[in-house]
Amino acid sequence: MKLITFLLVLTLTACVNQTQKTLYEQLGGKDKITQIVENFIYEIEFNETIYEYFKETDIQRFHDKLIEHICVNTGGPCQYTGDTMAQVHAGMNINESDFNLTVDLLINAMTKADIPHPLQNKVLAVFAPMRKDMIYK
Ligand code: HEM
């Protein structure tokens, strides 16, 4: 096989493998998701508006359930043992602006965990459709 053909095959194989990887694997698995969630909790603690929602929350539970939730929804080998998004956020009456602000905090958390922007967008695309279960409930 000519060198150029060999290199082409190598590149194509790498591309195919990349698209076959789950989002969970592309992110870097459980360790990276844990890092994102811990950064996110830090962001929440320092944001007065969003912290207001969390002031009575058991943060250890939130930490554990959010890791499971992100793991499952990005195709990872986990089980989600928390409540549904509708149940959890019912009664909070989250408005669009606070929802968007929370998304900004998640973006900060991912940036601080060195997640590249195209990958961040894939994560946001997974969670964006859940918005309807959370706002004005
Ligand atoms: C796509 C966006 C979101 C996702 C994926 C998400 C996911 C979760 C998960 C997995 C839990 C833990 C569930 C459990 O304990 O069983 C949780 C709890 C919670 N979420 Fe969200 N959430 C989102 C947006 C928001 C927003 C925008 C707010 C408020 C501004 C919010 C406020 C809360 C609070 C306060 C709790 C703790 C509830 C408690 O103390 O029992 N979430 N969320």
Side-chain angles (χ1 to χ4, degrees):
M1 197 190 291
K2 287 216 176 92
L3 181 62
I4 186 78
T5 321
F6 176 71
L7 289 176
L8 194 65
V9 170
L10 257 188
T11 314
L12 282 174
T13 313
C15 287
V16 169
N17 285 342
Q18 193 60 27
T19 51
Q20 278 174 346
K21 272 188 178 177
T22 61
L23 185 50
Y24 171 84
E25 287 165 331
Q26 292 177 54
L27 282 169
K30 198 77 167 273
D31 285 353
K32 206 59 167 180
I33 291 176
T34 302
Q35 203 183 324
I36 294 170
V37 168
E38 288 175 2
N39 291 350
F40 184 50
I41 291 171
Y42 183 88
E43 293 287 321
I44 290 170
E45 278 172 2
F46 286 90
N47 186 289
E48 257 180 64
T49 309
I50 302 306
Y51 181 73
E52 193 58 30
Y53 289 90
F54 285 87
K55 60 184 183 197
E56 305 289 330
T57 295
D58 172 350
I59 293 296
Q60 185 62 55
R61 178 188 162 105
F62 176 68
H63 171 274
D64 298 347
K65 303 299 177 197
L66 188 57
I67 291 171
E68 289 175 5
H69 191 264
I70 297 177
C71 175
V72 168
N73 284 287
T74 54
C78 305
Q79 232 192 323
Y80 178 60
T81 59
D83 299 321
T84 67
M85 291 302 93
Q87 284 168 342
V88 173
H89 303 92
M92 292 188 199
N93 198 18
I94 301 169
N95 59 31
E96 286 180 44
S97 139
D98 288 353
F99 185 88
N100 293 342
L101 183 52
T102 308
V103 171
D104 285 343
L105 299 184
L106 179 62
I107 292 171
N108 292 348
M110 290 194 284
T111 302
K112 287 180 181 167
D114 298 320
I115 305 296
H117 285 280
L119 209 49
Q120 292 192 17
N121 288 337
K122 289 189 193 175
V123 173
L124 297 177
V126 169
F127 292 100
M130 298 175 193
R131 181 178 179 276
K132 61 176 187 335
D133 294 328
M134 297 172 200
I135 64 169
Y136 301 120
K137 302 278 170 172

PDB file of all heavy atoms in Angstrom, residues 37-60:
ATOM      1  N   VAL A  37     -19.654  18.604  37.057  1.00  0.00           N
ATOM      2  CA  VAL A  37     -20.702  18.794  38.078  1.00  0.00           C
ATOM      3  C   VAL A  37     -20.146  19.570  39.273  1.00  0.00           C
ATOM      4  O   VAL A  37     -20.810  20.473  39.804  1.00  0.00           O
ATOM      5  CB  VAL A  37     -21.315  17.432  38.493  1.00  0.00           C
ATOM      6  CG1 VAL A  37     -22.168  17.559  39.738  1.00  0.00           C
ATOM      7  CG2 VAL A  37     -22.130  16.852  37.327  1.00  0.00           C
ATOM      8  N   GLU A  38     -18.925  19.276  39.676  1.00  0.00           N
ATOM      9  CA  GLU A  38     -18.350  19.991  40.821  1.00  0.00           C
ATOM     10  C   GLU A  38     -18.095  21.460  40.478  1.00  0.00           C
ATOM     11  O   GLU A  38     -18.372  22.351  41.283  1.00  0.00           O
ATOM     12  CB  GLU A  38     -17.105  19.253  41.335  1.00  0.00           C
ATOM     13  CG  GLU A  38     -17.563  17.968  42.028  1.00  0.00           C
ATOM     14  CD  GLU A  38     -16.452  17.031  42.497  1.00  0.00           C
ATOM     15  OE1 GLU A  38     -15.270  17.359  42.326  1.00  0.00           O
ATOM     16  OE2 GLU A  38     -16.812  15.960  43.041  1.00  0.00           O
ATOM     17  N   ASN A  39     -17.647  21.721  39.250  1.00  0.00           N
ATOM     18  CA  ASN A  39     -17.486  23.119  38.813  1.00  0.00           C
ATOM     19  C   ASN A  39     -18.844  23.828  38.774  1.00  0.00           C
ATOM     20  O   ASN A  39     -18.960  24.999  39.135  1.00  0.00           O
ATOM     21  CB  ASN A  39     -16.888  23.189  37.400  1.00  0.00           C
ATOM     22  CG  ASN A  39     -15.438  22.743  37.350  1.00  0.00           C
ATOM     23  OD1 ASN A  39     -14.807  22.560  38.379  1.00  0.00           O
ATOM     24  ND2 ASN A  39     -14.912  22.562  36.150  1.00  0.00           N
ATOM     25  N   PHE A  40     -19.871  23.084  38.336  1.00  0.00           N
ATOM     26  CA  PHE A  40     -21.223  23.649  38.215  1.00  0.00           C
ATOM     27  C   PHE A  40     -21.760  24.032  39.607  1.00  0.00           C
ATOM     28  O   PHE A  40     -22.313  25.118  39.801  1.00  0.00           O
ATOM     29  CB  PHE A  40     -22.111  22.600  37.533  1.00  0.00           C
ATOM     30  CG  PHE A  40     -23.509  23.028  37.234  1.00  0.00           C
ATOM     31  CD1 PHE A  40     -23.778  24.228  36.582  1.00  0.00           C
ATOM     32  CD2 PHE A  40     -24.594  22.216  37.570  1.00  0.00           C
ATOM     33  CE1 PHE A  40     -25.091  24.615  36.278  1.00  0.00           C
ATOM     34  CE2 PHE A  40     -25.900  22.588  37.273  1.00  0.00           C
ATOM     35  CZ  PHE A  40     -26.139  23.790  36.631  1.00  0.00           C
ATOM     36  N   ILE A  41     -21.534  23.171  40.592  1.00  0.00           N
ATOM     37  CA  ILE A  41     -21.985  23.459  41.962  1.00  0.00           C
ATOM     38  C   ILE A  41     -21.277  24.715  42.486  1.00  0.00           C
ATOM     39  O   ILE A  41     -21.898  25.581  43.103  1.00  0.00           O
ATOM     40  CB  ILE A  41     -21.759  22.231  42.880  1.00  0.00           C
ATOM     41  CG1 ILE A  41     -22.733  21.117  42.470  1.00  0.00           C
ATOM     42  CG2 ILE A  41     -21.927  22.596  44.364  1.00  0.00           C
ATOM     43  CD1 ILE A  41     -22.493  19.773  43.141  1.00  0.00           C
ATOM     44  N   TYR A  42     -19.998  24.822  42.180  1.00  0.00           N
ATOM     45  CA  TYR A  42     -19.218  26.001  42.570  1.00  0.00           C
ATOM     46  C   TYR A  42     -19.822  27.260  41.939  1.00  0.00           C
ATOM     47  O   TYR A  42     -20.025  28.272  42.609  1.00  0.00           O
ATOM     48  CB  TYR A  42     -17.771  25.786  42.116  1.00  0.00           C
ATOM     49  CG  TYR A  42     -16.822  26.880  42.504  1.00  0.00           C
ATOM     50  CD1 TYR A  42     -16.162  26.861  43.732  1.00  0.00           C
ATOM     51  CD2 TYR A  42     -16.570  27.950  41.628  1.00  0.00           C
ATOM     52  CE1 TYR A  42     -15.270  27.879  44.071  1.00  0.00           C
ATOM     53  CE2 TYR A  42     -15.690  28.960  41.972  1.00  0.00           C
ATOM     54  CZ  TYR A  42     -15.043  28.924  43.195  1.00  0.00           C
ATOM     55  OH  TYR A  42     -14.176  29.928  43.536  1.00  0.00           O
ATOM     56  N   GLU A  43     -20.140  27.168  40.650  1.00  0.00           N
ATOM     57  CA  GLU A  43     -20.741  28.308  39.931  1.00  0.00           C
ATOM     58  C   GLU A  43     -22.071  28.706  40.574  1.00  0.00           C
ATOM     59  O   GLU A  43     -22.368  29.887  40.740  1.00  0.00           O
ATOM     60  CB  GLU A  43     -20.990  27.951  38.456  1.00  0.00           C
ATOM     61  CG  GLU A  43     -19.749  27.727  37.627  1.00  0.00           C
ATOM     62  CD  GLU A  43     -18.997  29.007  37.296  1.00  0.00           C
ATOM     63  OE1 GLU A  43     -19.641  30.026  37.020  1.00  0.00           O
ATOM     64  OE2 GLU A  43     -17.746  28.981  37.337  1.00  0.00           O
ATOM     65  N   ILE A  44     -22.870  27.694  40.929  1.00  0.00           N
ATOM     66  CA  ILE A  44     -24.184  27.958  41.539  1.00  0.00           C
ATOM     67  C   ILE A  44     -24.007  28.670  42.886  1.00  0.00           C
ATOM     68  O   ILE A  44     -24.702  29.643  43.187  1.00  0.00           O
ATOM     69  CB  ILE A  44     -24.989  26.640  41.720  1.00  0.00           C
ATOM     70  CG1 ILE A  44     -25.429  26.094  40.358  1.00  0.00           C
ATOM     71  CG2 ILE A  44     -26.204  26.846  42.635  1.00  0.00           C
ATOM     72  CD1 ILE A  44     -26.026  24.694  40.390  1.00  0.00           C
ATOM     73  N   GLU A  45     -23.046  28.172  43.670  1.00  0.00           N
ATOM     74  CA  GLU A  45     -22.823  28.748  45.014  1.00  0.00           C
ATOM     75  C   GLU A  45     -22.484  30.227  44.947  1.00  0.00           C
ATOM     76  O   GLU A  45     -22.793  30.986  45.856  1.00  0.00           O
ATOM     77  CB  GLU A  45     -21.693  28.005  45.721  1.00  0.00           C
ATOM     78  CG  GLU A  45     -22.171  26.730  46.366  1.00  0.00           C
ATOM     79  CD  GLU A  45     -21.042  25.870  46.900  1.00  0.00           C
ATOM     80  OE1 GLU A  45     -19.859  26.274  46.810  1.00  0.00           O
ATOM     81  OE2 GLU A  45     -21.347  24.781  47.396  1.00  0.00           O
ATOM     82  N   PHE A  46     -21.829  30.636  43.838  1.00  0.00           N
ATOM     83  CA  PHE A  46     -21.410  32.033  43.730  1.00  0.00           C
ATOM     84  C   PHE A  46     -22.318  32.878  42.854  1.00  0.00           C
ATOM     85  O   PHE A  46     -21.982  33.988  42.500  1.00  0.00           O
ATOM     86  CB  PHE A  46     -19.942  32.102  43.261  1.00  0.00           C
ATOM     87  CG  PHE A  46     -19.005  31.708  44.368  1.00  0.00           C
ATOM     88  CD1 PHE A  46     -18.621  30.384  44.538  1.00  0.00           C
ATOM     89  CD2 PHE A  46     -18.567  32.656  45.284  1.00  0.00           C
ATOM     90  CE1 PHE A  46     -17.792  30.017  45.593  1.00  0.00           C
ATOM     91  CE2 PHE A  46     -17.737  32.293  46.332  1.00  0.00           C
ATOM     92  CZ  PHE A  46     -17.347  30.969  46.494  1.00  0.00           C
ATOM     93  N   ASN A  47     -23.490  32.328  42.512  1.00  0.00           N
ATOM     94  CA  ASN A  47     -24.452  33.119  41.746  1.00  0.00           C
ATOM     95  C   ASN A  47     -25.697  33.330  42.617  1.00  0.00           C
ATOM     96  O   ASN A  47     -26.472  32.379  42.834  1.00  0.00           O
ATOM     97  CB  ASN A  47     -24.818  32.406  40.437  1.00  0.00           C
ATOM     98  CG  ASN A  47     -25.694  33.288  39.578  1.00  0.00           C
ATOM     99  OD1 ASN A  47     -26.860  33.519  39.895  1.00  0.00           O
ATOM    100  ND2 ASN A  47     -25.143  33.827  38.513  1.00  0.00           N
ATOM    101  N   GLU A  48     -25.858  34.544  43.103  1.00  0.00           N
ATOM    102  CA  GLU A  48     -26.950  34.843  44.042  1.00  0.00           C
ATOM    103  C   GLU A  48     -28.315  34.412  43.536  1.00  0.00           C
ATOM    104  O   GLU A  48     -29.110  33.836  44.276  1.00  0.00           O
ATOM    105  CB  GLU A  48     -26.997  36.357  44.269  1.00  0.00           C
ATOM    106  CG  GLU A  48     -26.402  36.784  45.589  1.00  0.00           C
ATOM    107  CD  GLU A  48     -26.478  38.291  45.765  1.00  0.00           C
ATOM    108  OE1 GLU A  48     -27.597  38.805  45.837  1.00  0.00           O
ATOM    109  OE2 GLU A  48     -25.393  38.918  45.814  1.00  0.00           O
ATOM    110  N   THR A  49     -28.591  34.719  42.253  1.00  0.00           N
ATOM    111  CA  THR A  49     -29.917  34.423  41.693  1.00  0.00           C
ATOM    112  C   THR A  49     -30.190  32.925  41.683  1.00  0.00           C
ATOM    113  O   THR A  49     -31.262  32.478  42.112  1.00  0.00           O
ATOM    114  CB  THR A  49     -30.000  34.956  40.235  1.00  0.00           C
ATOM    115  OG1 THR A  49     -29.588  36.307  40.246  1.00  0.00           O
ATOM    116  CG2 THR A  49     -31.390  34.824  39.670  1.00  0.00           C
ATOM    117  N   ILE A  50     -29.227  32.152  41.220  1.00  0.00           N
ATOM    118  CA  ILE A  50     -29.466  30.708  41.092  1.00  0.00           C
ATOM    119  C   ILE A  50     -29.307  30.010  42.444  1.00  0.00           C
ATOM    120  O   ILE A  50     -30.044  29.071  42.758  1.00  0.00           O
ATOM    121  CB  ILE A  50     -28.553  30.083  40.001  1.00  0.00           C
ATOM    122  CG1 ILE A  50     -28.809  30.781  38.648  1.00  0.00           C
ATOM    123  CG2 ILE A  50     -28.791  28.583  39.867  1.00  0.00           C
ATOM    124  CD1 ILE A  50     -30.269  30.816  38.181  1.00  0.00           C
ATOM    125  N   TYR A  51     -28.418  30.519  43.283  1.00  0.00           N
ATOM    126  CA  TYR A  51     -28.245  29.898  44.608  1.00  0.00           C
ATOM    127  C   TYR A  51     -29.553  29.929  45.399  1.00  0.00           C
ATOM    128  O   TYR A  51     -29.847  29.003  46.163  1.00  0.00           O
ATOM    129  CB  TYR A  51     -27.118  30.573  45.409  1.00  0.00           C
ATOM    130  CG  TYR A  51     -26.946  29.907  46.745  1.00  0.00           C
ATOM    131  CD1 TYR A  51     -26.372  28.640  46.829  1.00  0.00           C
ATOM    132  CD2 TYR A  51     -27.426  30.506  47.914  1.00  0.00           C
ATOM    133  CE1 TYR A  51     -26.262  27.985  48.045  1.00  0.00           C
ATOM    134  CE2 TYR A  51     -27.321  29.864  49.133  1.00  0.00           C
ATOM    135  CZ  TYR A  51     -26.744  28.607  49.193  1.00  0.00           C
ATOM    136  OH  TYR A  51     -26.647  27.956  50.398  1.00  0.00           O
ATOM    137  N   GLU A  52     -30.323  30.979  45.190  1.00  0.00           N
ATOM    138  CA  GLU A  52     -31.612  31.134  45.862  1.00  0.00           C
ATOM    139  C   GLU A  52     -32.471  29.855  45.730  1.00  0.00           C
ATOM    140  O   GLU A  52     -33.114  29.422  46.683  1.00  0.00           O
ATOM    141  CB  GLU A  52     -32.335  32.341  45.244  1.00  0.00           C
ATOM    142  CG  GLU A  52     -33.541  32.845  45.993  1.00  0.00           C
ATOM    143  CD  GLU A  52     -33.279  33.259  47.436  1.00  0.00           C
ATOM    144  OE1 GLU A  52     -32.159  33.697  47.756  1.00  0.00           O
ATOM    145  OE2 GLU A  52     -34.224  33.125  48.250  1.00  0.00           O
ATOM    146  N   TYR A  53     -32.432  29.231  44.553  1.00  0.00           N
ATOM    147  CA  TYR A  53     -33.213  28.001  44.329  1.00  0.00           C
ATOM    148  C   TYR A  53     -32.650  26.825  45.134  1.00  0.00           C
ATOM    149  O   TYR A  53     -33.368  25.888  45.456  1.00  0.00           O
ATOM    150  CB  TYR A  53     -33.174  27.600  42.845  1.00  0.00           C
ATOM    151  CG  TYR A  53     -33.944  28.489  41.909  1.00  0.00           C
ATOM    152  CD1 TYR A  53     -33.344  29.592  41.301  1.00  0.00           C
ATOM    153  CD2 TYR A  53     -35.274  28.217  41.609  1.00  0.00           C
ATOM    154  CE1 TYR A  53     -34.039  30.394  40.418  1.00  0.00           C
ATOM    155  CE2 TYR A  53     -35.980  29.014  40.715  1.00  0.00           C
ATOM    156  CZ  TYR A  53     -35.357  30.103  40.127  1.00  0.00           C
ATOM    157  OH  TYR A  53     -36.054  30.901  39.251  1.00  0.00           O
ATOM    158  N   PHE A  54     -31.336  26.860  45.376  1.00  0.00           N
ATOM    159  CA  PHE A  54     -30.654  25.695  45.950  1.00  0.00           C
ATOM    160  C   PHE A  54     -30.410  25.795  47.456  1.00  0.00           C
ATOM    161  O   PHE A  54     -29.778  24.916  48.028  1.00  0.00           O
ATOM    162  CB  PHE A  54     -29.305  25.487  45.234  1.00  0.00           C
ATOM    163  CG  PHE A  54     -29.445  24.901  43.849  1.00  0.00           C
ATOM    164  CD1 PHE A  54     -29.648  25.731  42.754  1.00  0.00           C
ATOM    165  CD2 PHE A  54     -29.396  23.534  43.650  1.00  0.00           C
ATOM    166  CE1 PHE A  54     -29.783  25.197  41.473  1.00  0.00           C
ATOM    167  CE2 PHE A  54     -29.540  22.991  42.380  1.00  0.00           C
ATOM    168  CZ  PHE A  54     -29.727  23.830  41.282  1.00  0.00           C
ATOM    169  N   LYS A  55     -30.896  26.875  48.092  1.00  0.00           N
ATOM    170  CA  LYS A  55     -30.470  27.103  49.481  1.00  0.00           C
ATOM    171  C   LYS A  55     -30.938  26.014  50.455  1.00  0.00           C
ATOM    172  O   LYS A  55     -30.312  25.827  51.489  1.00  0.00           O
ATOM    173  CB  LYS A  55     -30.846  28.514  49.948  1.00  0.00           C
ATOM    174  CG  LYS A  55     -32.295  28.818  49.927  1.00  0.00           C
ATOM    175  CD  LYS A  55     -32.551  30.265  50.311  1.00  0.00           C
ATOM    176  CE  LYS A  55     -34.045  30.482  50.347  1.00  0.00           C
ATOM    177  NZ  LYS A  55     -34.431  31.859  50.310  1.00  0.00           N
ATOM    178  N   GLU A  56     -32.015  25.279  50.104  1.00  0.00           N
ATOM    179  CA  GLU A  56     -32.480  24.190  50.985  1.00  0.00           C
ATOM    180  C   GLU A  56     -32.041  22.814  50.471  1.00  0.00           C
ATOM    181  O   GLU A  56     -32.445  21.791  51.018  1.00  0.00           O
ATOM    182  CB  GLU A  56     -34.025  24.190  51.050  1.00  0.00           C
ATOM    183  CG  GLU A  56     -34.685  25.495  51.461  1.00  0.00           C
ATOM    184  CD  GLU A  56     -34.467  25.809  52.930  1.00  0.00           C
ATOM    185  OE1 GLU A  56     -34.336  24.869  53.725  1.00  0.00           O
ATOM    186  OE2 GLU A  56     -34.418  27.022  53.272  1.00  0.00           O
ATOM    187  N   THR A  57     -31.289  22.797  49.395  1.00  0.00           N
ATOM    188  CA  THR A  57     -30.974  21.521  48.720  1.00  0.00           C
ATOM    189  C   THR A  57     -29.882  20.720  49.418  1.00  0.00           C
ATOM    190  O   THR A  57     -28.927  21.288  49.944  1.00  0.00           O
ATOM    191  CB  THR A  57     -30.556  21.823  47.255  1.00  0.00           C
ATOM    192  OG1 THR A  57     -31.679  22.368  46.585  1.00  0.00           O
ATOM    193  CG2 THR A  57     -30.070  20.596  46.521  1.00  0.00           C
ATOM    194  N   ASP A  58     -30.074  19.401  49.415  1.00  0.00           N
ATOM    195  CA  ASP A  58     -29.037  18.478  49.868  1.00  0.00           C
ATOM    196  C   ASP A  58     -28.038  18.376  48.705  1.00  0.00           C
ATOM    197  O   ASP A  58     -28.289  17.686  47.713  1.00  0.00           O
ATOM    198  CB  ASP A  58     -29.699  17.114  50.156  1.00  0.00           C
ATOM    199  CG  ASP A  58     -28.700  16.005  50.442  1.00  0.00           C
ATOM    200  OD1 ASP A  58     -27.484  16.213  50.235  1.00  0.00           O
ATOM    201  OD2 ASP A  58     -29.139  14.926  50.865  1.00  0.00           O
ATOM    202  N   ILE A  59     -26.920  19.104  48.820  1.00  0.00           N
ATOM    203  CA  ILE A  59     -25.979  19.241  47.695  1.00  0.00           C
ATOM    204  C   ILE A  59     -25.285  17.916  47.353  1.00  0.00           C
ATOM    205  O   ILE A  59     -25.001  17.642  46.184  1.00  0.00           O
ATOM    206  CB  ILE A  59     -24.940  20.364  47.966  1.00  0.00           C
ATOM    207  CG1 ILE A  59     -25.655  21.735  47.995  1.00  0.00           C
ATOM    208  CG2 ILE A  59     -23.835  20.410  46.914  1.00  0.00           C
ATOM    209  CD1 ILE A  59     -26.309  22.184  46.674  1.00  0.00           C
ATOM    210  N   GLN A  60     -25.076  17.066  48.374  1.00  0.00           N
ATOM    211  CA  GLN A  60     -24.450  15.755  48.080  1.00  0.00           C
ATOM    212  C   GLN A  60     -25.351  14.935  47.151  1.00  0.00           C
ATOM    213  O   GLN A  60     -24.892  14.328  46.184  1.00  0.00           O
ATOM    214  CB  GLN A  60     -24.186  14.992  49.390  1.00  0.00           C
ATOM    215  CG  GLN A  60     -23.436  13.672  49.180  1.00  0.00           C
ATOM    216  CD  GLN A  60     -22.039  13.862  48.583  1.00  0.00           C
ATOM    217  OE1 GLN A  60     -21.221  14.597  49.127  1.00  0.00           O
ATOM    218  NE2 GLN A  60     -21.766  13.229  47.441  1.00  0.00           N
TER     219      GLN A  60
END
